[in-house]
Amino acid sequence: MSQKLQKNLGLTAALSTVIGMVIGGGVFFKPQAVYTLTGGEPGLGMIAWVVAGVITITAGLTAAEVSAAIPKTGGMMVYIEEIYGKKLGVLTGWMQCALFFPATVAALAVMFGNQSAKLIGNENLIVPITLGVILLISILNTLSSKTTGLIQTIATICKLIPLILIIIFGFIRGNGNNPITSPLVGPGVSTVSIIGQLLIAILFAYDGWINVGAIAGEMKNPGKDLPKAIIGGLAFVMVVYIIINVAYLWVLPASELANFDSPASAVAEVIFGPIGGKLITTGILISVFGCINGYLLTAPRVLYTLGQQKSIPGYKYYGPLNKSGVPGNATIVMGILSAIYALSGQFNLLTDLSMFAIWSFYVLTFIGVILLRQRQPELNRPYKVPLYPVIPIIAIAGGLFVVINQLLFAGMENTLISLGGVIVTLIGLPLYSLAQKQANNDNNKAA
């Protein structure tokens, strides 16, 4: 049984992983949450798509420096461990495995199940399809990383088709009479009070970019290819997002988009008719499938790293690789946990939980770029963030705004969800201590 990850992923697989993990559910489904928050008006929603894109690009530009300087399997948890120490690194990995990855996979699977059942015309199939897609993709990801990288590349190509068709024919067949940039919000809606919630909703659509770092150990040239994949992928995604959101509004007003859990499918049906709309919905489902695959490709690598480090109870189970050279046990565990989350059936709740959890640690990563510059000026940096320290400061400020707003100013429900995320994250500390005792006992027995 091989215990060494195979270096067979190149720039194409990494780039397609970034694009594939970012363009998934959010761009097709989040306009509903956005225009519900704005009271059915487009202005602030469109501004928020741009602002979230800018925050994400500054985040990508910043985090790419750390990714290139510390190209180790495990991604963000490894970066934070190198900068802040072992315990915070373990806490990062625990948060990703216990909250971020399963909540994100579950949210995407919930939407996949909902849309598939509507397409078939039988809503009794929502739960079986939701759980089935998680199971299927988990099994696929127990195969070699080369196989799953190929699946990711194919899914990324396929998912661009509905985007391109909606953009082109949306502008051709849409009447263009709907407002795009004004009014900002509907009557009785406070611009200041909802901007944070808008950003947390839209940042889900932009998320996924940093997780390509988790497969750095399986890339042929991570120092060179990783920054290219993150930055090139994000720039492409931001342009696509802004254009397609204008295309949505070209066809349907914001007040109507707020009424559909899949606004993209509603727009496609207006453009192409019922049959064409179903074909576009099929393309969207392929997109979501690819997105789930991307997360279930990278998530087990984090759990595998925790197992290898003996940082989590049961590390003997999570640490080994299977005959295909991939963390098969860790993949199954992440699939099961995602399925449990998916039973909630709550797309927006799951995405809000995952975004609050991950952005708390993104901010630590951005701060880490500045700390590394000060502590290790001679560290090999194949890529350096441009306009330093302006870009990192913008990323830090944007991230802090999102996290603090969600915790304190986004309403009681969001505050409780966020506090729950904090508690689950902190549980990682006693679990780490337990794992250390287990490891010491195992070492003493071996001696």
Side-chain angles (χ1 to χ4, degrees), residues 8 24 31 53 69 73 91 98 192 231 260 300-301 367 384 426-427 443:
N8 51 23
T73 293
L91 210 59
V192 176
I231 298 162
F260 296 101
R301 271 69 182 172
I367 295 171
K384 289 185 177 182
L426 291 177
I427 288 173
N443 290 335

Side-chain angles (χ1 to χ4, degrees), residues 32 70 96 375 402 405 439:
Q32 181 203 31
I70 311 174
Q96 289 178 296
R375 295 173 184 170
V402 167
N405 182 86

Side-chain angles (χ1 to χ4, degrees), residues 368-390:
V369 171
I370 297 174
L371 294 177
L372 276 180
R373 289 278 189 111
Q374 294 173 344
R375 295 173 184 170
Q376 301 182 47
E378 303 304 318
L379 181 69
N380 178 37
R381 293 175 172 84
Y383 159 85
K384 289 185 177 182
V385 57
L387 300 177
Y388 179 89
V390 176

Side-chain angles (χ1 to χ4, degrees), residues 91-233:
L91 210 59
T92 306
W94 165 254
M95 175 278 301
Q96 289 178 296
C97 294
L99 287 175
F100 172 71
F101 282 123
T104 302
V105 169
L108 292 166
V110 164
M111 196 53 74
F112 185 94
N114 286 337
Q115 296 305 308
S116 297
K118 286 183 180 179
L119 200 63
I120 296 169
N122 186 349
E123 295 197 1
N124 292 325
L125 295 176
I126 290 177
V127 174
I129 293 174
T130 298
L131 300 180
V133 73
I134 294 174
L135 175 63
L136 172 62
I137 296 175
S138 297
I139 292 172
L140 289 174
N141 275 278
T142 61
L143 307 176
S144 72
S145 59
K146 190 171 183 180
T147 300
T148 47
L150 179 62
I151 293 171
Q152 196 62 38
T153 301
I154 294 171
T156 299
I157 294 170
C158 290
K159 77 174 53 183
L160 296 178
I161 295 173
L163 284 169
I164 292 169
L165 290 176
I166 289 174
I167 288 172
I168 293 174
F169 289 97
F171 287 117
I172 292 174
R173 297 186 178 180
N175 57 37
N177 295 329
N178 305 316
I180 306 293
T181 58
S182 64
L184 288 179
V185 294
V189 178
S190 168
T191 300
V192 176
S193 67
I194 67 166
I195 185 65
Q197 290 171 269
L198 282 173
L199 289 177
I200 203 87
I202 293 173
L203 285 171
F204 173 76
Y206 279 106
D207 199 63
W209 47 273
I210 201 170
N211 298 309
V212 70
I215 58 171
E218 292 162 272
M219 292 178 65
K220 298 172 186 174
N221 193 349
K224 180 181 176 183
D225 291 344
L226 202 54
K228 287 181 181 179
I230 293 173
I231 298 162

Side-chain angles (χ1 to χ4, degrees), residues 308-380:
Q308 285 284 300
Q309 294 177 346
K310 301 181 179 180
S311 297
I312 187 172
Y315 58 79
K316 291 181 180 178
Y317 181 79
Y318 307 123
L321 301 175
N322 63 16
K323 293 180 181 179
S324 299
V326 298
N329 290 345
T331 300
I332 297 301
V333 170
M334 292 311 303
I336 292 171
L337 191 56
S338 299
I340 293 171
Y341 276 56
L343 290 173
S344 71
Q346 299 296 314
F347 174 70
N348 286 316
L349 184 148
L350 289 166
T351 59
D352 287 353
L353 173 63
S354 69
M355 285 303 93
F356 172 80
I358 200 70
W359 270 89
S360 301
F361 286 85
Y362 282 168
V363 171
L364 291 176
T365 304
F366 307 150
I367 295 171
V369 171
I370 297 174
L371 294 177
L372 276 180
R373 289 278 189 111
Q374 294 173 344
R375 295 173 184 170
Q376 301 182 47
E378 303 304 318
L379 181 69
N380 178 37

